[in-house]
Amino acid sequence: MIIASHNDIYPLDIEERIELAPGLLGAMAENRARMLAALASSPRAVYGVNTGMGRLAAHKLSLEQQAEHQRNLLVGRAVGGPPWLPETDVRMLLVARLRDVLRPDAGASPELALFLADRINDRFIPAVPRSGLGSAGEIIPLSHAFQTFLGIGTVLEDGVETPAADALARRGAEPYVPGPKEGATLIQGSPLAIVHAARTWGETQQLVDLQTLAAAITIDVMGAPRDVYQPKLARGDDHRYTLMHELEMLISGSSVRAGVVQAPVSVRVGPRAITHADRVNSDLAAALRRWREDPTDSPAFLDGEFVPTTGFHAVELGLRMDAVSAALVHLGEVSVQRMNRLLDERFSGLPPQLAVDPGPQAGLVPLHKRAVGELHALRRLAAPATLGSMDTSAGQEDVQAFAWAAGEQTRAAAAHLFAITACELIAGVQAHHLRETPAPLGLRAAYAWLTGIVPPALVDRPLGPDVETLVGHLRESYFNDLTTLT
């Protein structure tokens, strides 16, 4: 993949080899020369370059101190520890940082960009902490990530902590020596929040689609009345209209069970709950698009001047991820209750507990207990992670966004909802087998796909492995477009 501009780096989950275009490197060299000239001629203090950082910004640095300062910025702030971020997240973090380094307002050298691109290409994975990051931005995880470029700290090789110096040597790379401003550039901004937001958006979009499928299957096997799902009821709400139209396509032709006047609330309100999750996830995507345009460095080199920015305060992303977490919790509550009603013969018209032989067999009630346990863990993730500022840096940093924490929390919530969704889908497959009625056209492929992964439980069997297997398939092979199921 040839990168000719920082805008070419999107999305962040780039797996192919990265090559920086000669024209881009030439432009970076020219911009770097302008930045260094402005730095040399500026009578003003330039934060983090010829001054200390935080409360120590009033301390001017001598030329000798400046030479060591950029290295020290990456070393002295590496105070975190395990657990470490997973490899996929660290790789995306490096890609996000490369995008920032390539921006003209960073004023970074082409040498730094090339070194960073080489480390992405040779699968260099720094050990980056995923908790205990109590700073206004992300200086703790970023210092852990980029001190490794100096041959300091540890990297992960097959999950094992390895000295960064040894990992560089095996790659034939000399430790990088950061030039003026480059150490500050590497630890500024909130690229980890951006990584979490990007992953959150993708996982939530999967769950919106999968919850739509789960709701449709439960409606079908319960023989629930259809009137409440008419798209015309969503007039004025494009999000809900689109989702209800998709739902209508899936359940079209499904029969309504005789004597059922109204389905339980959990079965009826699914479209509203799913629409809300889709809407807040769309808000997160819009915030991500805006965030890509904001300068991340501070100070940024803009129009020949060094300008302080607030790119470290990713509250727009953090609060939206908190909103996504709350939406996922509600989806989990609705899904678990739908499954509960599906196991109850009074609502489903099927054998109790969806057992082939009720009494001698327990059926799927134990599976519902798994879903309840997942929901219990999921509910504890509803409290906003972004809120909770405390005074640090002797009062210089008196507010934190904790957007990275919101990302960790939302993705944990998504993991629980994937498990809940898998449980409901397994119950739906079991109910479809017991009802012995033809599947509607819109769900025919979905039933076949799911049954091929998790066949009906004709006798009691341990379903834990089935849940894990299905979750893996849902995460990797989910249907982006529900119309592909027809």
Side-chain angles (χ1 to χ4, degrees):
M1 179 178 184
I2 298 178
I3 305 296
S5 163
H6 68 281
N7 287 322
D8 291 342
I9 299 181
Y10 189 81
L12 300 177
D13 53 347
I14 297 173
E15 288 298 326
E16 57 191 298
R17 185 173 181 81
I18 292 173
E19 180 179 345
L20 303 182
L24 173 60
L25 294 173
M28 289 189 70
E30 294 175 4
N31 188 55
R32 176 73 172 172
R34 288 192 293 270
M35 191 277 291
L36 292 176
L39 180 62
S41 62
S42 175
R44 298 174 56 188
V46 180
Y47 178 75
V49 180
N50 55 26
T51 74
M53 273 191 145
R55 185 69 179 272
L56 302 180
H59 290 254
K60 279 287 196 80
L61 304 181
S62 67
L63 290 176
E64 182 179 351
Q65 290 172 325
Q66 289 179 43
E68 286 294 313
H69 185 51
Q70 299 305 304
R71 175 189 179 279
N72 292 341
L73 289 175
L74 299 175
V75 176
R77 290 156 176 78
V79 296
W84 308 116
L85 284 174
E87 178 177 338
T88 51
D89 288 14
V90 176
R91 181 174 173 83
M92 287 180 68
L93 174 63
L94 297 184
V95 171
R97 186 84 299 176
L98 175 62
R99 187 182 195 279
D100 297 335
V101 164
L102 295 178
R103 293 174 62 105
D105 49 63
S109 68
E111 290 78 16
L112 176 57
L114 286 168
F115 192 92
L116 184 44
D118 286 343
R119 301 294 73 77
I120 293 170
N121 288 335
D122 60 25
R123 314 296 299 195
F124 186 82
I125 305 296
V128 180
R130 64 189 305 173
S131 61
L133 314 179
S135 54
E138 297 177 355
I139 59 171
I140 295 175
L142 295 178
S143 60
H144 274 272
F146 297 111
Q147 68 171 349
T148 61
F149 285 15
L150 315 180
I152 299 171
T154 58
V155 299
L156 301 177
E157 296 189 341
D158 296 324
V160 178
E161 292 184 42
T162 303
D166 295 347
L168 289 174
R170 278 193 292 274
R171 290 162 172 80
E174 292 291 328
Y176 187 76
V177 179
K181 193 176 175 292
E182 290 188 325
T185 292
L186 287 172
I187 62 171
Q188 289 288 359
S190 291
L192 181 54
I194 291 172
V195 168
H196 279 311
R199 295 293 297 273
T200 290
W201 177 85
E203 292 173 0
T204 302
Q205 197 58 54
Q206 288 178 285
L207 287 164
V208 164
D209 291 347
L210 292 168
Q211 277 286 305
T212 303
L213 176 61
I217 287 177
T218 297
I219 292 166
D220 173 50
V221 295
M222 287 188 72
R226 305 290 185 270
D227 291 347
V228 73
Y229 307 114
Q230 295 181 62
K232 66 182 181 182
L233 296 175
R235 286 178 300 202
D237 186 342
D238 292 341
H239 264 88
R240 192 156 63 96
Y241 180 89
T242 299
L243 186 137
M244 290 179 75
H245 179 66
E246 291 176 350
L247 187 63
E248 185 181 52
M249 291 177 61
L250 292 171
I251 63 177
S252 178
S254 178
S255 60
V256 177
R257 192 159 54 89
V260 178
V261 177
Q262 191 177 63
V265 170
S266 59
V267 180
R268 285 182 278 142
V269 302
R272 283 192 179 272
I274 297 167
T275 298
H276 177 70
D278 188 34
R279 200 188 316 276
V280 295
N281 202 41
S282 296
D283 290 343
L284 176 61
L288 260 175
R289 287 191 293 272
R290 292 191 298 271
W291 199 260
R292 294 204 307 268
E293 302 304 319
D294 281 352
T296 60
D297 209 351
S298 185
F301 183 59
L302 295 170
D303 301 323
E305 296 182 344
F306 296 96
V307 182
T309 75
T310 57
F312 56 87
H313 193 66
V315 66
E316 300 100 319
L317 300 178
L319 288 176
R320 281 175 173 82
M321 287 189 281
D322 283 334
V324 170
S325 291
L328 296 183
V329 170
H330 187 55
L331 281 182
E333 291 176 332
V334 172
S335 182
V336 169
Q337 285 303 96
R338 281 197 307 254
M339 184 181 175
N340 192 28
R341 295 298 172 257
L342 195 53
L343 293 165
D344 189 330
E345 68 276 14
R346 295 172 300 169
F347 297 98
S348 70
L350 294 169
Q353 303 185 181
L354 297 181
V356 172
D357 186 11
Q361 295 178 7
L364 298 194
V365 158
L367 184 66
H368 179 254
K369 294 178 186 293
R370 164 72 185 271
V372 167
E374 296 285 350
L375 178 59
H376 180 254
L378 174 57
R379 280 173 169 155
R380 300 201 303 273
L381 299 171
T386 306
L387 307 180
S389 295
M390 299 182 71
D391 226 20
T392 68
S393 197
Q396 183 69 16
E397 292 185 9
D398 54 356
V399 173
Q400 300 88 16
F402 294 113
W404 60 269
E408 283 278 349
Q409 188 161 290
T410 306
R411 292 176 63 194
H416 290 299
L417 186 54
F418 269 111
I420 290 170
T421 305
C423 290
E424 185 181 2
L425 289 172
I426 292 171
V429 167
Q430 182 81 356
H432 175 66
H433 171 77
L434 293 171
R435 188 164 293 285
E436 298 180 334
T437 56
L441 180 62
L443 290 174
R444 200 167 295 166
Y447 279 131
W449 184 73
L450 290 165
T451 303
I453 299 168
V454 183
L458 305 181
V459 297
D460 285 349
R461 69 172 191 262
L463 291 174
D466 290 328
V467 174
E468 302 310 310
T469 297
L470 183 54
V471 166
H473 279 82
L474 296 179
R475 281 184 173 273
E476 295 176 10
S477 307
Y478 86 107
F479 298 105
N480 289 281
D481 183 355
L482 290 177
T483 59
T484 62
L485 300 180
T486 61

